Amino acid sequence: MPARIEALINSLYRSESRRVLASLIRLLKDFDLAEEATQEAFTAALHQWPHEGVPQNPRAWLVSTGRFKAIDQLRRRARFQTTLDDVVDELEEAISDGEDWDEQLFADDQLRLIFTCCHPSLAPEAQLALTLREVCGLTTEAIARAFLTTPSTLAQRIVRAKAKIRDANIPYEIPGREQLPERLSAVLRVIYLVFNEGYSASSGENLIRHDLTLEAIRLGRLLVQLMPEPEAQGLLALMLIQQARAAARQDEQGDLIRLEDQDRRLWNHAQIAEGSALIRQAFNRGGAGIYSVQAAIAAVHGESPSFAQTDWHEIVGLYDLLLRLTPSPIVELNRAVAVAMRDGPASGLSLIEALAERGHLKDYYLFHAARADLLQQLGQLDAAQQAYRLALALTEQAAEQRFLQRRLTALGAG
């Protein structure tokens, strides 16, 4: 096989496989069958494209091939289970070739899939697990780490969620406008999780997974077009402003660059301006929700000409508002860091130590990293070293590990 075509198919698998899967779930109305069909379609591409050439529309070819592979499989099964004949006939008759190749359907398929995975009849943890697995393609192991559970337990949760969708005939569709408000919260949460996994990957060599951040932003744009509610605008604004800093967050070796050390000339200021405009729209419409407030905090950073000129008074005030909306130890930690910037490291450290006394965030590496940084600023170097070691032991992200190891080395604890 020519190396060029193999590289192209591998690239398409990374960028398009989840979209192909979403379209096949729409067409086949069966998660497991669609997953098998997706794999068979890419396998067929590996065998056929080197001889027949790359099709003009590779994604449409993969979807169409996957559907016919699934129909062939169902026909083979129908020899032993005659009730499948009707299913095959329905699949062949209900969907025209023209619809298969409709780009607008492709564009909306992942949003349809998210609404299906976030259906209110599914438990919240099942909604998140299923969406991260099916829409984002995260491994069962990675999702299990996020849920602080075992891969086998997580796998069972996903299997049960798929069975519930099948047995309850949950529709694979974007709900009608009258149903959207009650369904919006779960969808926003899932898109936010997708973005976060891309913006700061939970494990692996790469700090940023641009495929996930860009996909989350694309889904966020689709959602705002469908339902321009303040919190949908706020989430899109938050993702745009955060992702605008991507080019400055890593050096050429892939190592982490802290916010205060980033070259702000590398930031996408047009994207920051777009996000800031969305925030203003959201707040003008009474949208002081959790995503809008987080977006406002990001906008203060994004619009500051330098780290030294950041308005920490405004940021602390926004964190106060966020804490009222969603009391959380992580929000308290972020507020403590902002207080340290406004009032000095001792003030921030006292807030962090109060969190520790309540037993919060002991397994959260950023808690120990933030505490270590403030201890270092206060000259408590032995305690800072110990906190950095704890943070290092708790993260599985390679870029974060290298960053923390450099901090330890700088303290003479290499």
Side-chain angles (χ1 to χ4, degrees):
M1 177 189 302
R4 179 183 64 82
I5 293 182
E6 183 177 6
L8 171 64
I9 294 172
N10 288 334
S11 175
L12 280 170
Y13 187 84
R14 290 190 297 272
S15 64
E16 299 289 345
S17 61
R18 308 322 292 180
R19 297 180 184 180
V20 170
L21 174 64
S23 295
L24 285 170
I25 292 173
R26 168 173 60 84
L27 295 168
L28 302 172
K29 298 178 176 60
D30 184 305
F31 278 84
D32 294 332
L33 183 61
E35 288 172 0
E36 293 176 22
T38 300
Q39 296 300 322
E40 289 196 21
F42 277 95
T43 300
L46 286 170
H47 291 301
Q48 293 178 226
W49 290 7
H51 310 291
E52 300 174 5
V54 178
Q56 185 175 5
N57 189 332
R59 190 200 307 168
W61 187 96
L62 289 162
V63 171
S64 183
T65 299
R67 181 166 72 93
F68 287 116
K69 293 285 185 183
I71 289 173
D72 288 344
Q73 184 181 139
L74 287 175
R75 285 213 178 279
R76 289 193 296 271
R77 293 183 193 172
R79 297 174 187 172
F80 309 99
Q81 190 177 346
T82 56
T83 55
L84 287 177
D85 282 329
D86 293 338
V87 176
V88 176
D89 292 339
E90 183 181 341
L91 279 175
E92 291 184 322
E93 294 174 5
I95 305 159
S96 69
D97 285 342
E99 187 182 38
D100 285 356
W101 295 74
D102 189 301
E103 285 295 329
Q104 186 56 49
L105 281 173
F106 286 156
D108 292 346
D109 274 339
Q110 284 194 302
L111 195 57
R112 287 188 183 89
L113 181 54
I114 283 183
F115 272 107
T116 302
C117 294
C118 297
H119 195 275
S121 66
L122 301 176
E125 61 271 17
Q127 295 174 2
L128 298 175
L130 188 61
T131 305
L132 290 172
R133 180 72 188 94
E134 301 303 327
V135 179
C136 306
L138 298 186
T139 66
T140 302
E141 291 74 17
I143 304 169
R145 283 195 298 271
F147 279 100
L148 303 178
T149 188
T150 64
S152 60
T153 299
L154 197 283
Q156 291 172 6
R157 188 176 295 168
I158 291 173
V159 168
R160 287 195 297 269
K162 290 178 181 179
K164 181 69 175 286
I165 290 172
R166 181 188 64 244
D167 297 342
N169 290 320
I170 291 175
Y172 179 73
E173 64 185 16
I174 299 170
R177 185 163 295 278
E178 68 282 355
Q179 298 173 298
L180 276 175
E182 66 187 50
R183 301 277 300 277
L184 183 62
S185 176
V187 172
L188 291 175
R189 184 173 66 251
V190 166
I191 294 176
Y192 186 50
L193 283 176
V194 173
F195 179 81
N196 274 348
E197 179 61 28
Y199 185 72
S200 186
S202 59
S203 61
E205 284 296 319
N206 298 320
L207 175 67
I208 304 171
R209 289 187 58 185
H210 294 287
D211 56 334
L212 290 182
T213 58
L214 295 176
E215 187 60 26
I217 289 172
R218 189 187 74 83
L219 293 171
R221 289 191 187 280
L222 277 174
L223 192 60
V224 167
Q225 291 170 12
L226 172 72
M227 187 182 183
E229 291 298 312
E231 272 294 77
Q233 292 176 317
L235 177 57
L236 178 56
L238 174 61
M239 296 189 297
L240 286 169
I241 295 170
Q242 295 286 66
Q243 202 271 339
R245 298 195 292 110
R249 291 183 65 221
Q250 291 178 284
D251 62 18
E252 292 180 356
Q253 288 73 44
D255 287 336
L256 173 67
I257 302 175
R258 295 193 302 176
L259 177 62
E260 53 263 47
D261 299 322
Q262 290 175 14
D263 183 350
R264 298 185 179 220
R265 293 170 298 180
L266 299 177
W267 291 2
N268 186 332
H269 293 282
Q271 196 165 296
I272 292 171
E274 181 186 359
S276 297
L278 281 167
I279 296 166
R280 288 191 291 272
Q281 291 177 32
F283 272 85
N284 288 340
R285 299 174 59 206
I290 59 173
Y291 299 112
S292 300
V293 174
Q294 289 179 80
I297 293 170
V300 175
H301 287 295
E303 294 173 347
S304 300
S306 69
F307 187 77
Q309 294 172 275
T310 302
D311 189 342
W312 293 105
H313 289 275
E314 183 175 0
I315 288 177
V316 171
L318 287 167
Y319 273 122
D320 289 337
L321 174 57
L322 188 60
L323 264 177
R324 290 197 293 272
L325 293 170
T326 176
S328 139
I330 290 179
V331 176
E332 288 189 63
L333 173 63
N334 291 333
R335 181 183 179 277
V337 172
V339 168
M341 297 304 303
R342 185 189 68 180
D343 302 334
S347 297
L349 183 61
S350 67
L351 295 173
I352 286 179
E353 299 292 14
L355 274 173
E357 289 175 6
R358 302 205 306 269
H360 294 319
L361 304 179
K362 62 180 180 179
D363 296 323
Y364 185 48
Y365 81 96
L366 287 176
F367 169 82
H368 297 287
R371 182 171 177 271
D373 188 50
L374 296 180
L375 287 167
Q376 182 178 357
Q377 292 180 49
L378 292 168
Q380 300 179 39
L381 303 188
D382 289 342
Q385 289 176 9
Q386 183 179 2
Y388 275 130
R389 290 191 188 99
L390 282 170
L392 185 59
L394 287 168
T395 181
E396 298 182 24
Q397 216 298 310
E400 295 279 7
Q401 289 172 340
R402 293 193 298 270
F403 171 79
L404 292 168
Q405 187 59 60
R406 289 200 304 274
R407 302 292 286 181
L408 269 172
T409 302
L411 285 172

